[in-house]
Amino acid sequence: MLHALAGVAVVALIATGGWQYLKGLLDAETPIYMGTVYRIHYIAASLLIFVSVAFLTDWLLRGERSLTLGKGQGIRGMRGLAHELPKPLGTTLAYLLGLDLRRAAPPTEEFTYYERAVSFPTWELTLGLIILTGAIKAARYIYPIPGDVLYWVSAVHVGAGVLLGLKLLDHLRYVLAPSRWPLMVAMATGWVPESYVKRFHAGWFAQLSSSQATAGAAAASPAASTPSPVVGSAGGGGS
């Protein structure tokens, strides 16, 4: 649900922000009242901030690290990324980093190596810049900000908006590729089909299978997981 709200907020921000930018660039009248455009922009910005804070709070409380490469996994992550990228890009990356693509690609875990090494860090950077510069721009209505500072803040805000649009286009592969459609359903249900995990996330499937097997073994032999009474205790019959 939060993912869907973030998507709505991002689309609304790009549309209203682009409308404002084009109006100023073309210096033309618009058929839409600009006050309405600004209100929608601010509402979408507030929604994006809320969703971002909710995501961060949830990840911090759960200690979520699956969207990062992890400590000591940089080379492994880059090798996985090189295998996932289109061959010309992957080969170039491998050459620059001295990676051996003859080795089998590491199994994909809960998130792909592209998502962990490129996509998610780019989202972090882009959203961070958008929120920070947007907050500074909004603060000018209650606190005087020097014009030069506001100029550069606005420039970074627009640049981050362009990057946000590019990231949205990159993200559309999940919508346009039929093989990825189960993820669209998963946004609403919270469940990813087992067949999809087997096909695209072999490493994650192996982890889940191992966890289930361990849990099943523990449930099947409760005596093995129950500590024996200590001699001399109330349950030991030693008195």
Side-chain angles (χ1 to χ4, degrees), residues 48-191:
L48 182 63
I49 292 173
F50 166 76
V51 172
S52 299
V53 171
F55 269 127
L56 288 174
T57 302
D58 176 59
W59 291 338
L60 289 173
L61 290 176
R62 292 190 294 112
E64 180 64 56
R65 296 291 185 272
S66 58
L67 269 169
T68 64
L69 290 177
K71 292 183 179 179
Q73 298 296 314
I75 295 178
R76 174 187 172 90
M78 290 299 102
R79 188 160 55 86
L81 173 63
H83 278 284
E84 288 180 356
L85 290 173
K87 190 171 183 179
L89 294 177
T91 303
T92 302
L93 178 65
Y95 174 78
L96 293 174
L97 299 181
L99 303 174
D100 184 6
L101 290 185
R102 292 173 297 181
R103 295 180 59 187
T108 304
E109 298 176 4
E110 186 173 356
F111 295 95
T112 66
Y113 290 101
Y114 174 79
E115 290 167 342
R116 295 159 66 187
V118 178
S119 186
F120 185 64
T122 307
W123 278 118
E124 286 182 304
L125 174 64
T126 305
L127 293 178
L129 287 175
I130 283 283
I131 292 173
L132 177 61
T133 54
I136 294 174
K137 290 184 65 175
R140 76 182 187 273
Y141 295 112
I142 57 176
Y143 185 83
I145 297 177
D148 290 343
V149 174
L150 193 60
Y151 172 83
W152 286 109
V153 167
S154 298
V156 173
H157 192 71
V158 171
V162 173
L163 184 57
L164 187 65
L166 294 176
K167 276 303 302 171
L168 182 63
L169 292 176
D170 174 50
H171 215 54
L172 283 178
R173 71 184 187 278
Y174 295 109
V175 179
L176 301 178
S179 61
R180 303 285 183 174
W181 286 350
L183 292 182
M184 302 298 295
V185 178
M187 283 199 303
T189 63
W191 294 92

Side-chain angles (χ1 to χ4, degrees), residues 66 73 76 80 84 105-113 116 194-212:
S66 58
Q73 298 296 314
R76 174 187 172 90
E84 288 180 356
T108 304
E109 298 176 4
E110 186 173 356
F111 295 95
T112 66
Y113 290 101
R116 295 159 66 187
E194 181 178 340
S195 58
Y196 182 89
V197 177
K198 280 183 179 179
R199 180 180 177 186
F200 292 104
H201 301 271
W204 187 29
F205 182 76
Q207 293 173 8
L208 294 175
S209 300
S210 177
S211 299
Q212 290 178 352

